[in-house]
């Protein structure tokens, strides 16, 4: 974009700040001064506008912003740009700074899903709990706050207008600011290998003083060995061929291994008694003769809140299978898998009620029963997924009527999987066909709490 003259600069700032609320004349005078000092740079105007809209009608703070804008003025527009961004960053509340710096963990080209990053904020303990709002609402407000300040941008919206993916504008140097501040505060230890061309990313390499979080973007066994201590709390692996045995950190709470290629389920994960968040690839090498069971002792992870099995290879026919014991974890908030990778056992009257469960993804339609949904009174998001045979197994008269037990449900999605191997269908279904889904149940025609409903082939 070309640099703006004063009239266009003031018009943009006015639209972002003053048009939304009534301000006394003295604020408009300061606003015009600030617009002038932004030197026609659209990004600077938008970022400062986001900052002004957050501090509200406080004249002294506005004067301070005007003075600080003067102090960051530079002949070099790139320098001016990052100084303005830094001004917005330093005015963030403490918990929002941590949320912003969390983006330094992810690779530059990584597509960041907002549901995942917000759940990580929750598990890390960044968010302030409010009496009138649940933790999910607080996380959404934090994300929107960063977007309003132009520190984070919306990458993709869902069909119903909700934010699905987000990221940082690399061309605006926001990522450079994030990496720089994360390095200065020793927020994360990045193991990046020796081939990274980004100077700022290279400066994020191993530091013996930063052991709280580790982001592995390339293999470097020496740095991993040096990090091998009891102080690591969060580990993210974005490298496919790393040996999982190198990641034996006893006190880890967040473990993201979704990018790995695994041959077996690493048994040492069951020793991570403090683990709250686990993301794991849901597939293994095709030459493995059969699917691999995750042992029932997964239930020993008493603090586990999020378990995600991600589909790494859509063509793989062998997968990790979850035991039903995973449903005995009282702290469980999110249980997500691409498809029916769980051994199902019909609940009994003594089964644990999962009061904290908010999201269940990849659930088989055959298991949509009243006995299951009674155990999930606070479920808000449900993704039902199966092959045609799974949907046909329910009779027409009672199909999904048991959804009425989920009175807190807000998002409901259906998906039909296509599978070409008969033996895989038999392995996953294991029950006779008794009809076909021809209509949705009446409760879906007049929903009360459901705000999102979709079908996906």
């Amino acid at each position: 974009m070309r640099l703006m003259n004063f009239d266009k600069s003031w018009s943009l700032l006015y639209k972002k700040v003053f048009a939304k609320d009534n301000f006394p004349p003295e604020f408009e005078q300061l606003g015009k001064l600030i617009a002038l000092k932004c030197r026609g740079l659209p990004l600077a105007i938008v970022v400062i506008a986001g900052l002004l809209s957050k501090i509200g009608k406080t004249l002294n703070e506005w004067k301070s912003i005007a003075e600080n804008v003067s102090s960051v003025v530079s002949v070099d527009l790139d320098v001016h740009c990052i100084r303005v961004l830094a001004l917005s960053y330093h005015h963030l509340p403490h918990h929002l700074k941590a949320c912003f710096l969390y983006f330094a963990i992810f690779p530059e080209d990584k597509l960041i899903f907002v549901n995942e990053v917000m759940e990580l904020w929750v598990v890390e303990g960044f968010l302030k709990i409010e009496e009138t709002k649940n933790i999910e609402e607080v996380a959404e407000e934090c994300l929107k706050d960063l977007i309003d300040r132009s520190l984070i941008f919306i990458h993709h919206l869902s069909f119903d207008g909700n934010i699905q993916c987000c990221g940082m504008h690399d061309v605006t140097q926001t990522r450079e600011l994030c990496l720089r501040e994360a390095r200065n505060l020793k927020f994360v230890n990045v193991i990046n290998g020796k081939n990274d061309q980004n100077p700022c990313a290279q400066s994020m390499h191993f530091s013996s003083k930063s052991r709280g979080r580790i982001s592995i973007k390339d293999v470097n066994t020496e740095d991993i060995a040096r990090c091998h201590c009891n102080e690591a709390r969060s580990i993210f692996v974005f490298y496919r061929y790393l040996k999982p045995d190198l990641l034996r950190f006893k006190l880890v709470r967040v473990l993201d291994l979704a990018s790995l290629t695994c041959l077996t389920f690493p048994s040492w994960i069951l020793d991570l008694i403090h683990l709250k968040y686990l993301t794991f690839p849901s597939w293994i090498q095709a030459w493995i003769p059969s699917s691999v069971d995750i042992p029932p002792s997964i239930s020993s992870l008493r603090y586990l809140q999020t378990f995600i099995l991600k589909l790494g290879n859509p063509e793989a026919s062998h997968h990790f299978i979850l035991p039903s014991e995973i449903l005995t974890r009282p702290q469980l908030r999110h249980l997500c898998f691409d498809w029916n990778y769980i051994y199902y056992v019909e609940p009994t009257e003594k089964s644990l009620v999962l009061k904290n469960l908010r999201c269940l993804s990849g659930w088989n339609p055959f298991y949509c029963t009243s006995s299951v949904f009674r155990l999930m009174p606070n479920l808000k998001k449900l993704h039902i997924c199966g092959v045609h045979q799974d949907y046909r197994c329910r009779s027409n008269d009672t199909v999904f009527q048991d959804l009425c037990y989920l009175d807190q449900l807000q998002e409901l999605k259906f998906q039909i999987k296509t599978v070409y191997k008969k033996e895989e269908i038999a392995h996953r279904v294991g029950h006779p066909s008794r009809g076909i889904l021809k209509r949705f149940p009446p409760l879906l025609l007049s929903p009360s709490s459901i705000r999102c409903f979709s079908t996906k082939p």
Side-chain angles (χ1 to χ4, degrees), residues 192-203:
N192 227 6
K194 300 180 179 180
N195 299 321
D196 198 294
Q197 300 300 315
N198 188 330
C200 194
Q202 288 180 346
S203 67

Side-chain angles (χ1 to χ4, degrees), residues 308-319:
I308 302 174
L309 281 176
K310 282 194 173 182
L311 184 63
N313 182 1
E315 298 180 356
S317 59
H318 304 108
H319 305 263

Side-chain angles (χ1 to χ4, degrees), residues 141-169:
E141 288 185 358
C142 289
L143 180 69
K144 188 176 184 302
D145 203 339
L146 292 175
I147 292 173
D148 290 343
R149 296 171 186 262
S150 296
L151 294 173
I152 298 299
F153 80 98
I154 299 173
H155 188 280
H156 183 68
L157 295 174
S158 61
F159 73 94
D160 57 341
N162 289 325
I163 304 172
Q164 190 170 25
C165 301
C166 62
M168 289 185 178
H169 281 296

Side-chain angles (χ1 to χ4, degrees), residues 119 123 136 275-278 298-299 301-308 322-337 342 352-360 363 375-376 378-379:
E119 181 63 15
V123 172
E136 291 83 7
L275 198 63
K276 293 183 177 181
Y277 182 103
L278 176 60
I298 190 73
S299 61
L301 302 178
R302 57 183 300 185
Y303 299 110
L304 192 64
Q305 297 181 18
T306 298
F307 196 155
I308 302 174
L322 271 171
S324 60
E325 282 79 3
I326 191 65
L327 297 176
T328 64
R329 295 297 83 219
Q331 301 300 325
L332 198 64
R333 288 171 38 85
H334 287 243
L335 180 59
C336 306
F337 31 85
I342 187 170
L352 178 71
V353 177
L354 300 173
K355 296 181 180 180
N356 293 308
L357 190 64
R358 297 294 188 271
C359 176
L360 179 61
W363 195 247
L375 304 179
M376 308 171 181
N378 298 313
L379 192 68

Side-chain angles (χ1 to χ4, degrees), residues 240 242 244 257 260-266 280-281 283-285 288 320:
R240 184 173 179 179
L242 181 69
L257 305 179
L260 283 182
T261 298
C262 294
L263 304 181
T264 59
F265 182 78
F280 203 73
W283 62 280
I284 55 180
Q285 292 288 4
I288 298 295
F320 287 105

Side-chain angles (χ1 to χ4, degrees), residues 60 71 90 95-96 110 116 192 198 208 213 292 303 337 364 377:
N60 288 336
S71 66
H90 288 300
H95 69 285
L96 273 183
K110 174 73 173 177
E116 293 182 17
N192 227 6
N198 188 330
S208 60
R213 299 173 188 87
V292 177
Y303 299 110
F337 31 85
N364 192 285

